[in-house]
Amino acid sequence: MRKVVVVTGASSGVGLALCKRLLEEDDELHMCLACRNVGKAEAVRAALLAAHPAAEVSVVQVDVSNLRSVIRAARELKQRFQRLDYVYLNAGIMPNPQLNIKALFSGLFSRKVIHMFSTAEGLLTQEDKVTADGLQEVFETNVFGHFILVKGLGSRSSY
Ligand SMILES: NC(=O)c1ccc[n+]([C@@H]2O[C@H](COP(=O)([O-])OP(=O)(O)OC[C@H]3O[C@@H](n4cnc5c(N)ncnc54)[C@H](OP(=O)(O)O)[C@@H]3O)[C@@H](O)[C@H]2O)c1
């Protein structure tokens, strides 16, 4: 029986590299790409199958920053697969820090100027949106969505 591997955020970056690497090790895996963007995931699926024709590759749509989507995906994974051998919780975001121009100019003319340039304290800001579920986007995407996914996969009762 084929081993089943689920990778969240498999459509690019580390997640995609992981899928390729796992298939190089065992090209008879069933690789399930759990991705937000189905179009991107289908393109990755085609490329993986072209390189590893013996593999099975499927796509499950999930937005880990949306609890309804996560619950639906957990239900779908349980319905589709009798076993999951490995689940890689890779999907994630890291907003780029931005320079806070206002803090820069007010710091320039203050007594904290040396401290400001030696530590960058107050100079960099990171925006974090609030999701439809009322949670910080980075937290829900990187942590909470995956927590609910794993909880849903582990529970006998369907969500
Ligand atoms: N690269 C690094 O140096 C580094 C360092 C520390 C930690 N990490 C962590 O490692 C993981 C992968 O990083 P990476 O560099 O490969 O990032 P990446 O290239 O930006 O890829 C992130 C993947 O996560 C998916 N994703 C983002 N938000 C999602 C959501 N709400 N629902 C479902 N999928 C979502 C993206 O899908 P879309 O294509 O739809 O956007 C993409 O496939 C992340 O969790 C990141 O925080 C990376």
Side-chain angles (χ1 to χ4, degrees):
M1 200 176 187
R2 286 174 191 268
K3 283 188 175 167
V4 181
V5 180
V6 177
V7 179
T8 68
S11 57
S12 59
V14 174
L16 175 55
L18 173 66
C19 294
K20 288 180 180 167
R21 182 63 197 273
L22 290 172
L23 286 169
E24 276 164 21
E25 294 294 322
D26 178 357
D27 70 354
E28 294 199 344
L29 290 175
H30 185 131
M31 185 69 66
C32 177
L33 315 173
C35 296
R36 166 169 63 176
N37 183 324
V38 175
K40 272 168 88 175
E42 287 295 348
V44 168
R45 175 176 181 272
L48 291 176
L49 281 173
H52 303 280
E56 270 190 46
V57 183
S58 58
V59 172
V60 166
Q61 202 276 335
V62 64
D63 178 347
V64 287
S65 69
N66 181 306
L67 290 182
R68 280 179 74 160
S69 171
V70 171
I71 289 166
R72 194 204 48 72
R75 197 182 299 138
E76 186 177 339
L77 285 167
K78 282 198 291 189
Q79 280 167 0
R80 274 206 210 177
F81 301 108
Q82 288 185 338
R83 55 185 268 183
L84 296 177
D85 294 278
Y86 302 100
V87 180
Y88 290 93
L89 308 174
N90 162 76
I93 51 170
M94 188 49 68
N96 288 331
Q98 302 291 325
L99 180 64
N100 185 337
I101 302 284
K102 210 171 150 193
L104 172 66
F105 280 106
S106 63
L108 271 179
F109 303 104
S110 77
R111 278 183 292 162
K112 290 192 289 185
V113 63
I114 291 173
H115 178 75
M116 183 180 77
F117 280 117
S118 58
T119 65
E121 193 179 311
L123 281 183
L124 297 176
T125 56
Q126 222 167 6
E127 268 197 31
D128 193 357
K129 290 182 236 154
V130 173
T131 66
D133 299 312
L135 297 169
Q136 297 292 312
E137 189 183 28
V138 173
F139 170 70
E140 185 164 11
T141 305
N142 296 4
V143 181
F144 194 65
H146 281 127
F147 168 74
I148 295 297
L149 180 67
V150 169
K151 205 164 154 25
L153 292 176
S155 70
R156 282 187 177 277
S157 61
S158 57
Y159 264 134

